């Protein structure tokens, strides 16, 4: 809190990002996102990711409802939801979520219900992992900003 | 029984009732003497046995004769005699056995007697009586034993008298007399018995009688069995003349058969064969069987199993044959049916296994497809990341050396991306994922489009020309996407290796080539030969063989000089072969090469209405009144020989907006397409399309005076004379630039003036961009990117909104997502293009779009300007770039959208 940890926090952020990139959780599209953040929209990444989480949560809930229905057969709707999810995930660079979504979508195209259920589980898992990681990242970011905001009169 | 059979005969042969060998209704009753009378009503089998006696063999005189003269006949008699003898022997043996038993019993009895005598000897002093009767008789023995018992009894009675007295002797004599009497009585009885037994001996039958009985029985049995059996029996002499027949065909009388040969009796198939067979047996002297199918007028088609054995006389000489035929028509038919069923079964099984194989392959293919879809992104996205980052890097401040390095890096990255795309294409073909689609298309149009596209990116002083022979059908069916791909590939290849002269496409109809394996090609299909020729560097002969191999270029030198992946031709070849054609090449070093591919197409009937055609017919309606070269109905272009291509410089400078210009040039070309629908007007001349970089001004000049056609005016703007103004207009937006040209070149109209005003305003104003996208995140990201690039944009959430937006506002660029709910990008683009062609939204309204009519509709009659539409694809297999082009999109950005991609796109279309 004395503003001395800025470098350490930055290093932490970088390490976290590196590990996320390394694991394939994120890809370079996320960097694009970061690039778009400038002085006119200082919280762009945070905003976009938040909207992404809101939207995705809705989609996942809807997917789960659809799949839990015993007499369900609307694979087309599943496909549409997944298209959305794939699109937005690839836009923010959430690579692993996107990839498992693609697999899920293939299962839905084949009307493979067990495959879909498995797909949903995997997608939810990846999604929550991503959410946790992002949460951590934003927290670090916030701390860094706070730390960076500390100024000492010279 | 017979009646039953009659009714059953009507039913199918499959029914397990054996029909009579001969038809029931043949032959008169009079002829029936040797056949069973058909009993009316029910008759039990016993009765039939009775009537068996009535049945007589044919030719009774001959039969005993036969029996007497032949081996078999005499042997049968001897058999019977032997049987009788055997029976007698058997009886004798039984009697002997009985005798043996009796003798043994007698011996036992004697032994017993002896024992008893010994026991009683000391008691009786009476001397042994002298036997009177012969001792050999068993009866006597027994009698004696009995007598002795009696004696013992009587003795006790008798011996009360004194021995040797008169009374004693008297008594003794008396008892002896009694015993004699009994003995005589016994003797008499024995004689009686003997006589009796003699009498029974006499009553025993004579052997002949027994034999006759046996014979009668045998005959009766045979009749019983044979009368309804589908068996015909006969005997034929050495000359194969019938001497005897049983169960003959009912309509033939005895005299018709006896003394005649088969050939004399029947006519038709099988008769000769049976005759030959009999003769063969006769000669070989060995009995054998054969199945012969008769095909005679008399009894139709029947199959007989014939058994023939030679008959010998006692001197072992052949005197004829015995012949037995059994009708097996049904069995043969069943057997054949079975064989057929078995065959069918085998075929079905083979088909089944084939099917499972196909299913397996399909599954594999599906998997491969999925993998491809994933792979395509997996490989591309990190690579595009690298390239994208490098591009971003290039926007930063760099010194000269760094910039050079970075440029190399970017171009290498692009090359790898291209390579991956090519590999994906190739693996798509090879994994069978690539499916051919049959769509109607106009070959002329395809050639034109390919040339236009090529011209758009042309950076060399080259003439591009197309030449389509008259006989090439207006409308054919084939996979237009692939054909375009092949043509584009070959053309770009040709352009790459050609530095001056011309590059062109020539289409002509050829006869079915020899390699065509698919014989089902009928008269509705046509083989079109397509030559893609150039005047380029040519290919040395020794390089020709490996030309179509993957990753091969004519030489390492060329690879270095011209770049490229070396996959293009391999893909072309694969595609052509996939479509059932052949790709060949001829070339001469330094004077050019010609790639030729021959493909089969189906000829489409032009009265069919496809969406596509509707679009075009709309256009025809719209443009028909306008005079053109083609108004003569000859559908021809004057070849623009002698290129006006004198100055390369300005053209290169105008390159940046060439793609858009190429689109503009399509308008006059499409006018000509409108006339494609009237093939009858074709003259002997062939059509030549010539597209030149920055060209068309000759043509447009030709057109302008006679037609006053406002649609061609765009073409002139890039002529060498105007190139200066052209380049000056690059500073403003593309749309503005074009409008500026128009105002300069054409007779000004109210509309043009309006546009000019707009254009003037636009120089200081932002270009209007429309983003059509349904995904919130994508919208947000794209918007932010736009902001960073210094633009703002409108948003539409689906195709319908996009159409309404386009209708109400004039945009300079539309970024269109392909995959959207309500209406996808492809359809929306098609509808917008249709509006541009026709000037009305009818197509869209037809498609169910709710077009809100606004009062100021008239203000937006700028339908003739082609609105740049850029697709945003997720790069999956379903959204191929070709599809985007076919649906009227100008370009595409693959998702996820990066800053660099967006920037390039905007540069291209808004500069």
């Amino acid at each position: 809190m004395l503003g001395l940890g800025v470098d350490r926090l930055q290093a932490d952020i970088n390490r976290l990002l590196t590990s996320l990139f390394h694991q394939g959780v994120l890809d370079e599209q996320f960097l694009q996102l970061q690039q778009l953040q400038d002085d006119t929209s200082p919280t762009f990444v945070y905003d976009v990711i938040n909207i992404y989480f809101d939207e995705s949560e809705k989609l996942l809930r809807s997917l789960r409802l659809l799949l839990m229905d015993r007499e369900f057969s609307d694979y087309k709707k599943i496909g549409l939801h997944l298209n959305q999810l794939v699109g937005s995930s690839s836009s923010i660079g959430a690579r692993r979520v996107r990839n498992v979504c693609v697999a899920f979508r293939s299962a839905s195209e084949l009307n493979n219900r067990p495959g879909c259920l498995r797909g949903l589980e995997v997608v939810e898992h990846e999604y929550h992992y991503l959410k946790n990681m992002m949460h951590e990242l934003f927290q670090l970011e916030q701390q860094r900003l706070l730390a960076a905001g500390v100024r000492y009169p010279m | 029984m017979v009646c039953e059979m009659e009714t059953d005969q009507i039913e199918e042969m499959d029914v397990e009732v054996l029909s009579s060998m001969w038809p029931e209704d043949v032959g008169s009753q009079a002829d029936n003497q040797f056949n069973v009378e058909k009993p009316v009503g029910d008759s039990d089998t016993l009765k039939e046995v009775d009537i068996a006696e009535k049945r007589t063999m044919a030719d009774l005189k001959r039969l005993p004769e036969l029996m007497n003269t032949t081996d078999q006949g005499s042997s049968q008699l001897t058999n019977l005699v032997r049987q009788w003898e055997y029976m007698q022997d058997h009886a004798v043996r039984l009697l002997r056995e009985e005798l043996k038993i009796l003798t043994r019993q007698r011996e036992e009895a004697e032994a017993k007697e002896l024992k008893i005598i010994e026991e009683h000897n000391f008691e009786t002093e009476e001397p042994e009586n002298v036997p009177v009767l012969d001792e050999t008789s068993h009866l006597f023995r027994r009698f004696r034993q009995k007598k002795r018992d009696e004696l013992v009894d009587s003795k006790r009675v008798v011996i009360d008298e004194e021995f040797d007295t008169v009374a004693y002797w008297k008594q003794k004599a008396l008892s002896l007399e009694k015993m004699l009497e009994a003995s005589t009585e016994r003797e008499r009885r024995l004689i009686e018995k003997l006589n009796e037994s003699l009498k029974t001996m006499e009553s025993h039958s004579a052997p002949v009688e027994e034999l006759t009985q046996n014979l009668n029985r045998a005959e009766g049995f045979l009749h019983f069995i044979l009368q309804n059996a589908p068996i015909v029996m006969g005997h034929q002499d050495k000359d194969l003349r019938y001497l005897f027949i049983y169960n003959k065909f009912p309509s033939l009388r005895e005299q018709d058969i006896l003394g005649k040969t088969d050939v004399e009796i029947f006519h038709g198939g099988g008769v000769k064969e049976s005759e030959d067979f009999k003769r063969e047996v006769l000669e070989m002297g060995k009995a054998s069987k054969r199945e012969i199918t008769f095909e005679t007028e008399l009894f139709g088609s029947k199959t007989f199993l014939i058994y023939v054995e030679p008959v010998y006389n006692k001197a072992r000489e052949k005197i004829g044959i015995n012949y037995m035929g059994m009708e097996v028509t049904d069995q043969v038919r069943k057997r054949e049916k079975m064989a057929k069923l078995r065959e069918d079964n085998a075929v079905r099984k083979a088909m089944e296994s084939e099917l499972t194989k196909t299913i397996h392959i399909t599954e594999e293919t599906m998997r491969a497809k999925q993998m491809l879809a994933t792979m395509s992104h997996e490989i591309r996205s990190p690579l595009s990341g690298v390239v994208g980052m490098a591009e971003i890097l290039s926007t930063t401040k760099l010194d000269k050396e760094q910039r050079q390095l970075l440029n190399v890096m970017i171009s290498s990255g692009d090359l790898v991306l291209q390579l991956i795309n090519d590999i994906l294409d190739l693996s798509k073909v090879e994994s069978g994922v690539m499916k051919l689609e049959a769509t109607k298309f106009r070959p002329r149009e395809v050639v034109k489009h390919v040339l236009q596209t090529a011209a758009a990116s042309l950076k060399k002083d080259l003439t591009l020309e197309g030449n389509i022979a008259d006989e090439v059908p207006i409308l054919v069916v084939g996979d237009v996407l692939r054909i375009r791909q092949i043509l584009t590939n070959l053309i770009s290849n040709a352009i790459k290796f050609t530095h001056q002269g011309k590059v062109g496409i020539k289409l002509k109809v050829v006869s079915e080539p020899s390699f065509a394996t698919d014989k089902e090609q009928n008269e509705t299909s046509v083989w079109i030969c397509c030559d893609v020729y150039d005047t380029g560097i040519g290919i040395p002969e020794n390089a020709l063989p490996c030309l179509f191999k993957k990753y091969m270029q004519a030489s390492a030198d060329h690879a270095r000089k011209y770049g490229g992946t070396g996959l293009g031709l391999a893909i072309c070849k694969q595609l052509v072969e996939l479509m059932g054609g052949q790709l060949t090449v001829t070339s001469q070093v330094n004077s050019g090469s010609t790639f030729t591919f021959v493909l089969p197409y189906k000829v489409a009937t032009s009265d069919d209405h496809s969406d596509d055609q509707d679009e075009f017919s709309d256009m025809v309606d719209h443009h028909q009144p306008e005079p053109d070269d083609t108004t003569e109905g000859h559908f021809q272009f004057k070849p623009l020989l002698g290129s006006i291509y004198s100055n390369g410089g300005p053209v290169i400078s105008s390159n940046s907006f060439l793609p858009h210009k190429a689109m503009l040039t399509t308008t006059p070309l499409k006018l000509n397409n409108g006339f494609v629908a009237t093939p009858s007007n074709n003259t002997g001349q062939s059509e030549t399309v010539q597209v030149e970089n920055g060209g068309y001004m000759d043509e447009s000049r030709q057109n302008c005076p006679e037609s006053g056609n406002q649609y061609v005016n765009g073409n002139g703007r890039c002529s060498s004379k105007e190139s200066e103004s052209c380049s000056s207009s690059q500073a403003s937006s593309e749309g503005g630039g074009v409008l500026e040209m128009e105002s300069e070149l054409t007779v000004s109209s109210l509309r043009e003036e309006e546009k000019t005003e707009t254009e003037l305003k636009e120089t200081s104003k932002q270009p209007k961009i429309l983003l059509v996208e349904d995904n919130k995140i994508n919208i947000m990201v794209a918007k932010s990117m736009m902001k960073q690039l210094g633009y703002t944009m409108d948003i539409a959430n689906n195709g319908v909104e996009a159409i309404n937006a386009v209708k109400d506002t004039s945009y300079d660029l539309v970024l269109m997502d392909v995959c959207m709910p309500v209406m996808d990008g492809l359809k929306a683009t098609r509808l917008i293009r249709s509006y541009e062609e026709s000037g009305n939204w009818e197509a869209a309204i037809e498609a169910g779009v709710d077009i809100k009519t606004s009062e100021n509709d008239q203000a937006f009659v700028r339908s003739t300007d082609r609105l740049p539409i850029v697709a945003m694809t997720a790069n999956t297999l379903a959204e191929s770039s070709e599809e985007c082009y076919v649906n009227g999109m100008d370009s595409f950005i693959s998702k996820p959208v990066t800053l660099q991609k967006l920037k390039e796109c905007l540069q291209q279309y808004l500069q």
Side-chain angles (χ1 to χ4, degrees):
Chain A
M1 280 297 117
L2 293 177
L4 298 173
V6 178
D7 290 343
R8 190 178 51 79
L9 283 167
Q10 187 60 53
D12 281 351
I13 289 172
N14 286 346
R15 208 173 301 125
L16 178 61
L17 277 177
T18 314
S19 88
L20 288 180
F21 273 85
H22 195 72
Q23 291 167 32
V25 175
L26 293 178
D27 63 18
E28 51 288 331
Q29 189 66 23
F30 188 75
L31 296 180
Q32 288 269 326
L33 223 57
Q34 287 193 319
Q35 270 207 341
L36 293 175
Q37 184 165 300
D38 54 20
D39 292 342
T40 56
S41 54
T43 57
F44 177 72
V45 177
Y46 181 79
D47 292 345
V48 169
I49 298 286
N50 263 342
I51 293 176
Y52 168 76
F53 283 142
D54 284 351
E55 289 293 307
S56 303
E57 216 124 302
K58 268 185 231 160
L59 285 171
L60 285 174
R61 214 175 308 133
S62 172
L63 280 172
R64 184 154 275 281
L65 269 175
L66 275 172
L67 273 170
M68 285 303 129
D69 186 1
R70 212 162 269 281
E71 285 115 43
F72 130 96
S73 59
D74 195 359
Y75 287 99
K76 213 167 184 174
K77 194 157 185 192
I78 295 231
L80 285 176
H81 280 356
L82 283 170
N83 266 342
Q84 280 275 344
L85 206 52
V86 168
S88 43
S89 299
S90 74
S91 260
I92 64 149
R95 175 152 144 205
R96 252 171 43 188
V97 174
R98 185 201 159 273
N99 288 349
V100 293
C101 281
V102 168
F104 187 177
R105 189 171 59 189
S106 332
S108 81
E109 275 160 9
L110 294 174
N111 292 3
N112 173 359
R113 180 132 193 243
C116 282
L117 286 168
R118 217 167 25 247
L120 179 64
E121 231 155 83
V122 177
V123 168
E124 280 178 338
H125 174 263
E126 283 302 332
Y127 169 78
H128 286 121
Y129 184 75
L130 177 74
K131 198 172 175 182
N132 286 338
M133 289 297 122
M134 285 291 134
H135 190 69
E136 198 179 332
L137 182 71
F138 289 141
Q139 260 187 341
L140 283 172
E141 194 80 32
Q142 210 170 12
Q143 284 174 21
R144 192 189 65 85
L145 276 176
L146 277 175
V150 178
R151 288 280 181 277
Y152 292 96
M154 299 297 280
Chain B
M1 193 178 179
V2 181
C3 280
E4 271 171 32
M5 273 163 53
E6 264 178 339
T7 49
D8 281 337
Q9 210 173 20
I10 302 159
E11 293 175 33
E12 264 301 286
M13 286 300 192
D14 291 342
V15 183
E16 284 301 314
V17 170
L18 189 63
S19 62
S20 144
M21 176 172 56
W22 307 121
E24 301 286 325
D25 51 347
V26 192
S28 62
Q29 289 293 327
D31 286 326
N32 245 350
Q33 62 177 112
F34 295 114
N35 285 290
V36 198
E37 284 337 276
K38 280 166 221 149
V40 182
D42 260 359
S43 68
D44 56 359
T45 37
L46 278 172
K47 263 186 200 161
E48 282 178 46
V49 179
D50 287 344
I51 57 167
E53 290 290 323
K54 283 182 219 153
R55 291 177 58 100
T56 42
M57 303 250 182
D59 194 18
L60 288 174
K61 274 170 267 166
R62 293 272 193 173
L63 184 58
E65 195 185 307
L66 200 63
M67 294 289 265
N68 294 335
T69 51
T70 61
D71 260 7
Q72 280 102 324
S74 51
S75 75
Q76 199 194 343
L77 285 178
T78 38
N79 262 340
L80 278 169
V81 170
R82 211 173 286 146
Q83 199 187 348
W84 184 79
E85 278 172 358
Y86 172 77
M87 275 167 68
Q88 296 306 315
D89 281 350
H90 188 66
V92 168
R93 210 182 60 223
L94 282 176
L95 282 171
R96 278 209 185 112
E97 262 172 31
E98 203 170 323
L99 187 64
K100 223 192 258 171
I101 293 163
L102 286 173
T103 320
R104 206 170 53 230
Q105 280 175 354
R106 192 190 72 194
E107 276 164 6
E108 276 169 17
E110 274 172 6
K112 221 176 187 177
E113 183 192 328
L114 212 64
K115 219 170 124 192
I116 293 167
I117 288 171
E118 274 166 14
E119 277 173 12
H120 293 280
N121 234 1
F122 62 94
E123 279 176 22
T124 171
E125 294 105 332
E126 187 187 5
E128 194 87 345
N129 276 325
V130 185
V132 182
L133 287 165
D134 190 18
E135 287 212 355
T136 51
S137 161
H138 171 68
L139 284 169
F140 173 70
R141 284 263 178 157
R142 227 187 269 169
F143 156 72
R144 204 180 58 164
Q145 203 174 345
K146 261 188 186 162
K147 181 190 79 183
R148 189 182 298 132
D149 291 347
E150 275 170 33
L151 274 176
V152 172
D153 283 344
S154 65
K155 212 170 26 185
R156 278 181 197 143
V157 182
V158 169
I159 291 175
D160 25 334
E161 294 299 322
E162 210 178 316
F163 184 66
D164 221 9
T165 63
V166 178
Y168 171 82
W169 289 113
K170 223 180 185 173
Q171 243 176 14
K172 184 142 190 174
L174 212 82
S175 61
L176 280 173
E177 202 174 330
K178 261 183 209 162
M179 276 155 65
L180 189 68
E181 255 172 48
S183 155
T184 326
E185 172 65 24
R186 223 168 277 133
E187 198 176 336
R188 195 185 51 83
R189 238 181 284 159
L190 280 170
I191 287 164
E192 250 172 51
K193 218 172 193 176
L194 196 68
N195 281 341
E196 214 173 286
S197 108
L198 265 174
K199 243 182 237 165
T200 51
M201 283 287 271
E202 269 166 22
S203 72
H204 257 280
S205 57
V208 181
E209 232 172 286
E210 205 172 315
L211 282 175
T212 322
Q213 246 175 33
N214 277 352
L215 274 173
N216 276 342
R217 252 203 326 255
E219 198 191 338
F221 174 69
L222 282 177
H223 273 292
F224 171 56
I225 284 186
L226 291 179
Q227 64 183 338
N228 279 324
I231 289 174
V232 60
M233 289 184 288
H235 174 79
Q236 283 163 296
D237 66 9
K238 265 199 290 196
D239 302 324
L240 297 179
R241 290 181 187 285
Y242 279 98
L243 295 182
F244 166 78
I245 189 154
Y246 181 87
N247 238 357
K248 63 180 173 57
F249 190 73
S251 76
L252 290 172
R253 278 165 307 161
E254 199 80 343
Q255 53 266 40
D256 291 335
I257 296 175
L258 295 179
K260 287 184 180 167
T261 62
D262 273 334
V263 187
E264 284 163 0
I265 302 164
F266 306 110
H267 300 283
V271 177
K272 188 83 183 70
E273 193 189 343
S274 81
E275 180 101 355
D276 289 346
F277 173 55
K278 285 170 184 171
R279 193 150 286 145
E280 197 181 298
V281 170
L282 197 62
E283 275 160 24
M284 300 288 287
K286 266 183 192 162
S288 64
K289 285 185 277 190
R290 184 176 291 181
E291 226 172 68
I292 295 172
T293 304
F294 290 92
E295 193 69 62
T296 63
E297 289 167 21
L298 203 55
F299 50 81
S301 175
K302 278 191 190 298
T303 307
F304 282 81
L305 178 65
I306 287 172
Y307 167 76
V308 180
E309 60 171 2
V311 181
Y312 300 94
N313 64 7
K314 280 167 184 155
R316 301 298 299 165
E317 284 164 339
K318 291 170 206 160
I319 58 160
I321 51 151
N322 276 343
Y323 146 79
M324 184 181 287
M326 183 184 242
E327 196 220 359
V328 289
T329 314
D330 292 354
Q331 282 83 346
V332 168
R333 211 170 291 159
K334 269 177 205 157
R335 200 174 58 206
E336 275 162 9
K337 219 181 260 176
M338 279 293 278
K340 212 176 159 208
L341 276 175
R342 226 166 274 153
E343 201 176 296
D344 284 356
N345 226 17
V347 168
R348 202 161 302 144
K349 244 177 214 165
M351 267 162 65
E352 223 166 77
S353 69
E354 191 70 16
L355 212 67
T356 42
K357 219 190 275 171
T358 318
I359 290 170
H360 186 72
I361 290 170
T362 316
E363 278 171 358
E364 285 290 301
T365 319
M366 291 268 281
R367 223 165 293 147
K369 195 173 170 179
Q370 271 171 31
M371 211 191 75
L372 264 178
T374 334
M375 277 285 286
S376 87
H377 195 82
E378 286 307 298
I379 301 172
R380 272 186 238 194
S381 68
L383 193 65
S384 59
V386 171
V387 175
M389 292 301 125
E391 277 167 356
I392 290 168
L393 197 59
S394 73
T395 60
T396 58
K397 274 185 187 165
L398 297 169
D399 62 35
K400 207 177 172 186
E401 200 181 348
Q402 281 173 328
R403 192 164 297 280
Q404 258 176 358
L405 291 174
L406 204 59
N407 281 341
V408 173
M409 192 171 149
I410 290 169
S411 67
S412 314
D414 282 340
L415 194 68
V416 178
L417 263 178
Q418 181 58 41
L419 183 64
I420 288 168
N421 287 342
D422 282 356
I423 292 171
L424 280 169
D425 266 356
L426 200 61
S427 50
K428 260 192 245 174
V429 176
E430 280 170 353
S431 65
V433 173
M434 193 160 282
K435 281 203 191 78
L436 295 178
E437 282 163 26
T439 41
K440 274 182 213 151
F441 70 97
R442 298 163 203 261
R444 288 167 179 79
E445 209 175 277
V446 170
V447 169
K448 276 172 220 159
H449 284 183
V450 167
L451 289 173
Q452 279 160 24
T453 318
S457 56
L458 195 63
K459 291 173 185 165
K460 289 176 186 173
D461 179 7
L462 289 178
T463 306
L464 304 184
E465 56 187 34
N467 197 324
I468 293 129
D470 281 352
E471 69 269 18
V472 173
I474 303 305
L475 208 56
V476 296
V477 176
D479 192 332
V480 64
L481 283 186
R482 308 295 164 221
I483 290 161
R484 270 184 76 136
Q485 197 179 349
I486 295 165
L487 277 175
T488 310
N489 232 326
L490 291 177
I491 279 287
S492 59
N493 222 28
I495 291 171
K496 190 155 81 181
F497 294 107
T498 306
H499 304 298
Q500 57 181 5
K502 55 189 179 181
V503 169
I505 299 174
K506 210 184 283 172
L507 284 194
K508 60 175 185 275
V509 172
V510 291
S511 58
E512 185 172 318
S514 52
F515 63 82
T517 48
D518 207 357
K519 285 299 164 206
E520 67 190 43
Q521 308 283 354
N522 43 26
E523 65 278 0
T524 62
S525 70
V526 62
W527 288 82
I528 296 176
C529 168
C530 180
D531 290 326
V532 177
Y533 55 92
D534 62 55
T535 55
I537 57 167
I539 305 157
E541 208 167 314
N542 58 6
L544 285 177
C546 60
L547 199 63
F548 295 113
K549 289 202 180 116
K550 289 172 218 169
Y551 312 106
M552 288 287 210
Q553 281 184 329
S555 78
D557 253 7
H558 287 142
R560 230 170 293 135
K561 196 166 162 192
Y562 297 104
T565 61
L567 276 172
L569 284 176
I571 293 169
C572 286
K573 193 174 164 65
Q574 296 248 19
L575 284 174
V576 168
E577 278 163 11
L578 196 67
M579 290 188 275
Q582 206 174 43
L583 177 64
T584 52
V585 61
T586 54
S587 184
Q588 226 175 347
V589 176
N590 291 330
S591 59
S593 324
T594 304
F595 286 84
T596 306
F597 65 91
V598 187
L599 280 179
Y601 305 85
K602 285 220 170 62
V603 179
T605 44
S606 47
D607 53 9
D608 275 346
H609 283 282
S610 60
D611 294 350
D612 208 28
Q613 188 154 10
D614 284 341
E615 228 171 90
F616 287 120
S617 50
D618 276 358
M619 210 180 60
V620 172
D621 292 343
H622 194 68
H623 293 297
Q624 216 147 32
E626 288 148 14
D628 197 273
D629 292 296
T630 52
T631 43
E632 290 136 83
H634 295 316
F635 186 45
Q636 57 161 358
F637 275 85
K638 286 244 168 69
L640 295 173
L641 297 171
S643 169
I644 33 69
Y645 212 100
S646 45
N647 47 348
V651 175
I652 290 162
S653 71
S654 66
N655 257 342
S656 52
F657 60 83
L658 273 174
H660 192 184
K661 187 207 68 189
M663 293 310 171
L664 282 167
T665 59
T666 58
T667 320
L669 287 170
K670 282 197 175 169
L671 285 179
N672 293 308
N673 292 336
F675 291 90
V676 173
T678 57
S680 55
N681 291 334
N682 279 1
T683 59
Q685 288 145 300
S686 58
E687 159 205 16
T688 305
V689 187
Q690 179 148 353
V691 182
E692 284 174 80
N693 191 5
Y696 279 115
M697 51 283 165
D698 274 7
E699 191 194 9
S700 59
R701 275 175 193 160
Q702 260 178 336
N703 287 338
C704 285
E706 42 185 78
S707 65
N709 180 353
Q710 74 242 42
Y711 297 108
V712 290
N713 49 30
N715 297 319
R717 68 195 168 87
C718 280
S719 72
S720 51
K721 285 169 198 161
E722 269 114 17
S723 60
E724 219 175 324
S725 66
C726 221
S727 37
S728 71
S729 71
Q730 278 172 20
S732 64
S733 74
E734 169 72 347
V738 173
L739 295 170
E740 190 179 45
M741 294 305 168
E742 281 175 348
S743 59
E744 276 174 21
L745 281 169
T746 57
V747 188
S748 67
S749 65
L750 189 79
R751 187 164 56 80
E752 303 296 345
E753 277 169 0
E754 266 179 26
K755 291 280 167 91
T756 318
E757 278 169 37
T758 327
E759 180 261 317
L760 286 170
K761 269 183 241 157
E762 273 180 11
T763 45
S764 56
K765 222 182 88 183
Q766 283 272 341
K768 289 197 76 70
I769 303 168
L770 176 68
L771 173 70
V772 189
E773 166 70 70
D774 62 317
N775 192 311
K776 269 192 198 173
I777 312 294
N778 291 354
I779 293 171
M780 216 172 150
V781 172
K783 222 173 177 174
S784 163
M785 283 178 174
M786 280 292 184
K787 199 178 86 186
Q788 207 158 67
L789 290 170
Y791 297 100
T792 55
M793 59 184 182
D794 294 346
I795 310 289
N797 283 316
N798 58 50
V800 176
E801 283 183 27
I803 286 174
N804 275 314
V806 167
K807 186 178 71 71
D808 295 337
T809 321
S810 72
Y811 286 101
D812 298 305
L813 177 65
V814 175
L815 298 173
M816 180 88 75
D817 187 18
V818 172
C819 195
M820 279 183 299
V822 187
M823 179 190 284
D824 67 28
L826 297 176
K827 191 167 184 192
T829 309
R830 253 194 339 263
L831 294 174
I832 292 171
R833 292 290 179 235
S834 138
Y835 163 68
E836 283 173 357
E837 309 281 8
S838 63
N840 61 54
W841 285 104
E842 269 162 31
I845 292 162
E846 260 173 56
V849 181
D850 182 23
I851 299 286
K852 293 162 213 135
T853 42
S854 54
E855 333 68 63
N856 59 346
D857 251 4
Q858 291 309 308
F860 299 102
V861 198
R862 59 185 287 280
S863 60
T864 48
D865 278 343
R866 193 178 161 100
L867 172 66
I869 300 180
V870 176
M872 297 197 292
T873 70
N875 246 338
T876 55
L877 289 178
E879 308 171 352
S880 75
S881 53
E882 283 287 344
E883 213 172 346
C884 296
Y885 290 132
V886 166
N887 279 287
M889 286 165 166
D890 297 306
S891 172
F892 74 97
I893 305 178
S894 62
K895 280 185 173 177
V897 179
T898 62
L899 208 55
Q900 188 60 24
K901 284 186 215 162
L902 202 59
K903 195 170 156 193
E904 273 172 17
C905 173
L906 295 179
Q907 267 173 357
Q908 192 179 357
Y909 290 100
L910 296 177
Q911 211 164 44

